[in-house]
Each structure stands twice: as C-alpha cells, then as structure tokens.
Amino acid sequence: DGGITQSPKYLFRKEGQNVTLSCEQNLNHDAMYWYRQDPGQGLRLIYYSQIVNDFQKGDIAEGYSVSREKKESFPLTVTSAQKNPTAFYLCASRSESRGAIGYTFGSGTRLTVV
Amino acid sequence: GQQLNQSPQSMFIQEGEDVSMNCTSSSIFNTWLWYKQDPGEGPVLLIALYKAGELTSNGRLTAQFGITRKDSFLNISASIPSDVGIYFCAGQPREDNFNKFYFGSGTKLNVKP
C-alpha cells in the first residue's frame, strides 16, 4: 500500500542537540511539507518542497533545516537554534497533478526536549 | 501567513446530536478541505470543496463552500463516539501558486455515549 511514513513516533532531545525527523513517501508525490502542531494553534508550515533539490521556507522556518535529495524523502532537522522545539511534527505530501486533492499526512513525530 | 478562524474551539455533545463547525478567512480561497485527526495520528481528509456554493457529503458529514469564498462549514449528523477527534479546516488562497494550504486551529469534538 502506498503511504507516507514518519519516524520515529516519539523522540527525546537534550537541549543543545540537533535531531533529524524522517519522512518517506511511496506515493510518487512531487510536493512534500513539514508542519508543526501545538495545542490550540492548528498546523503551521515549516518548510515545503515542490521538486527534488528545491525547498522553500514556510511561516516558521527559523531553527529548522531540510533537504530534498530524493523525491521519496524529506527529512527535517530541528537545530539547537529552535528555542521551543517540543511539539508534534507532521509531514505531508501532495501530487502536483491537475485535480490532486489535498495532502496525505504521516502519523507524526512527537518531539520532547528533556 | 494566512489566518483561518475556526469555531468553536471545542464541543461537548451527547451521542446522537448533530454538530456544526465553521471556518472563515480574510481572503478568498480556491479550495476548502476538512480533515479529522485522531489523537497521536496525522489528519485524514474527509471532504474537499472546489466551487463557491458547493455542498458535498461523505456519509454523515456534509460540508459547504461558502458563497463569498471566504468561509466553509462542516456538519456531522447523528454523532457517534468514534466521531471524537479534532476537525481542521484547510484552505488554499486564490493567489497562491505553490499549492500551500493554511489550516484552522481545529475544533475538538467530544461525544458522550
């Protein structure tokens, strides 16, 4: 079955450390997205990528970095510069084909700073 | 980024009751989507709307694309316990060429058996 896989499900980070969240999709989707979810604030866009080797900052990109070396993969690094990284992170993908409907989301990674 | 106002923020209802929630934006949107998120999981698409005035159903769920193109509504009829979760609206602005969707803050639905 095609889908989008995020790993790990839970991640604990010490202050000052960088961590990388994995996102892989086998849907052959062109575009991929990273969102951050905090209670009562909905989903906020961190970064997105429409094609391989290209990505754009979203609304809250500071303290995060991404890469898109393969169509299937869009890892997110939470750097030590991100002052409040504890959150639920959601990866999504979307076909760029005409008529494509919305995003397909992964099941999320919950990051906690300890 | 775009601001979507979703209300109510939370609801506590009895099983069997109908539910309504809505989403408004300050600008015109081309597309409205409604998602449901179960605890600890990613959102799942429920309904997609593409034209002003469009009314679309998915089982007990009905959503409408507002005539002004600045709002959308989701109704759930005869609620059941498995309807519990967070419902998000998402919209794509007309002027956006990058297929980005903006999300409301969610409506948390609680259903008492």
Side-chain angles (χ1 to χ4, degrees):
Chain A
D1 285 342
I4 181 165
T5 302
Q6 290 186 242
S7 62
K9 183 71 173 174
Y10 300 95
L11 188 57
F12 296 88
R13 187 195 96 170
K14 293 183 179 179
E15 286 194 25
Q17 282 184 337
N18 292 353
V19 289
T20 298
L21 283 59
S22 169
C23 180
E24 304 276 334
Q25 53 99 359
N26 60 4
L27 300 164
N28 199 33
H29 283 175
D30 304 291
M32 297 186 74
Y33 307 79
W34 274 105
Y35 282 89
R36 170 180 171 139
Q37 185 175 23
D38 295 285
Q41 292 195 45
L43 307 181
R44 292 183 291 168
L45 183 63
I46 304 172
Y47 267 99
Y48 64 100
S49 168
Q50 292 184 276
I51 57 173
V52 174
N53 292 322
D54 186 57
F55 47 83
Q56 307 293 330
K57 292 183 179 180
D59 299 317
I60 56 165
E62 185 176 352
Y64 299 98
S65 66
V66 293
S67 62
R68 186 86 186 276
E69 298 177 1
K70 300 186 299 182
K71 187 176 185 178
E72 301 80 18
S73 179
F74 191 40
L76 173 74
T77 296
V78 184
T79 74
S80 56
Q82 170 50 238
K83 298 305 179 189
N84 185 22
T86 295
F88 191 52
Y89 290 88
L90 285 162
C91 180
S93 67
R94 184 173 189 265
S95 171
E96 295 293 291
S97 300
R98 189 177 181 84
I101 301 175
Y103 295 159
T104 300
F105 282 92
S107 57
T109 293
R110 184 165 298 280
L111 173 64
T112 304
V113 173
V114 296
Chain B
Q2 293 280 346
Q3 291 289 334
L4 293 186
N5 296 310
Q6 187 173 348
S7 64
Q9 189 172 9
S10 64
M11 303 180 74
F12 293 83
I13 63 170
Q14 201 74 34
E15 182 177 1
E17 290 183 352
D18 296 344
V19 172
S20 291
M21 59 193 77
N22 69 80
C23 208
T24 61
S25 69
S26 56
S27 56
I28 291 174
F29 278 18
N30 272 346
T31 303
W32 283 98
L33 306 175
W34 284 93
Y35 284 88
K36 182 195 177 195
Q37 184 180 30
D38 291 325
E41 297 295 328
V44 174
L45 182 66
L46 299 173
I47 293 178
L49 303 160
Y50 300 103
K51 294 191 304 185
E54 181 180 355
L55 187 72
T56 298
S57 293
N58 178 6
R60 292 178 296 106
L61 279 61
T62 301
Q64 185 164 22
F65 195 138
I67 292 293
T68 65
R69 307 186 69 163
K70 292 184 178 182
D71 57 6
S72 180
F73 307 87
L74 176 68
N75 296 314
I76 304 173
S77 62
S79 59
I80 60 178
S82 62
D83 289 336
V84 166
I86 302 178
Y87 292 80
F88 289 100
C89 61
Q92 181 181 19
R94 182 175 61 180
E95 69 276 8
D96 197 309
N97 294 321
F98 298 107
N99 294 315
K100 288 186 295 179
F101 283 86
Y102 295 92
F103 285 80
S105 56
T107 294
K108 188 171 185 179
L109 179 62
N110 298 279
V111 180
K112 290 169 56 177

